[in-house]
Amino acid sequence: MTVSNRSWRLRGAFIAAAASVVGVGLCAVPAQAHTPTWSVSCSEVTLDLTAYNPGVTNTVTVSVDGKDILPTEKFGSSVNKTLPLGEHTKPLTVHLVVKAGDGDQFSKDDTKTAPVCATPPPTPPPVTQTPTGAPSSAAPAPSKSPSSAPSSPAAAAPAPSPSASAPSDLAETGSSSATPLIAGAAAVVILAGGGIMFAARKRRSSEN
């Protein structure tokens, strides 16, 4: 009986030691398994909460400047979400609260800042390139109209040649036709004067 009691005691001691080791291991695994990973950019919030205890109730809440963009939501072993942020002209304060159902030591309360997104440089619209081709094709049209306009005056340039010859003709007609007329008029005047003088002498001689 003494031997049997000792063997049972030894077995009990081994069982107790094994149970304690398993218990410590089970307690340590959850502490190392909870991974509340999350990131914040200028345009979104990314949640990657993994390896939580699915046998308990876990909750997560995300707020921006005091306003919830993810109201309190229950989850099991993990949560993977991407929450978009609206356009903003100043940095935003993003607050994450994770409550683990298997102990406050696995919960997380963290705050990050979402910066303002950089404005991309303006790209020239492709529409501005199409009007540049249109004026180039229409440009030759105005060049043709001025070229044709001077051509007509150039063709009309010989027209003044008759006018240039006209003064020479007028000069010739004036010299040829006017000279006999003047000579004839002078002869008539001379004859008339001589007749008048002759008549006056006759009258004087008759009176005497």
Side-chain angles (χ1 to χ4, degrees):
M1 295 295 294
T2 306
V3 176
S4 62
N5 289 335
R6 289 180 180 177
S7 62
W8 280 110
R9 289 178 182 176
L10 291 174
R11 291 178 183 178
F14 283 121
I15 293 172
S20 62
V21 170
V22 171
V24 172
L26 292 175
C27 293
V29 169
Q32 296 177 356
H34 294 73
T35 54
T37 304
W38 73 303
S39 61
V40 177
S41 67
C42 68
S43 59
E44 61 186 13
V45 178
T46 303
L47 300 180
D48 189 15
L49 312 180
T50 59
Y52 277 79
N53 187 357
V56 296
T57 301
N58 307 306
T59 61
V60 57
T61 306
V62 180
S63 61
V64 176
D65 288 345
K67 297 180 181 179
D68 291 344
I69 61 172
L70 178 63
T72 302
E73 179 179 308
K74 296 179 181 180
F75 68 95
S77 60
S78 63
V79 173
N80 299 103
K81 285 182 177 291
T82 299
L83 308 174
L85 297 175
E87 294 184 359
H88 51 279
T89 57
K90 62 179 182 178
L92 302 177
T93 301
V94 184
H95 186 200
L96 170 72
V97 176
V98 179
K99 291 185 178 180
D102 51 356
D104 291 339
Q105 67 272 22
F106 308 129
S107 300
K108 187 176 184 64
D109 191 329
D110 195 9
T111 301
K112 294 185 179 181
T113 302
V116 178
C117 294
T119 304
T123 57
V127 182
T128 56
Q129 298 178 358
T130 54
T132 58
S136 62
S137 60
S143 63
K144 292 180 181 179
S145 57
S147 62
S148 60
S151 62
S152 58
S161 60
S163 63
S165 61
S168 62
D169 294 337
L170 292 176
E172 291 177 0
T173 53
S175 62
S176 60
S177 61
T179 301
L181 292 176
I182 295 172
V188 171
V189 172
I190 292 172
L191 292 176
I196 292 170
M197 291 179 65
F198 182 75
R201 288 179 182 180
K202 281 186 176 184
R203 286 179 183 178
R204 290 178 183 177
S205 59
S206 63
E207 288 177 358
N208 294 332

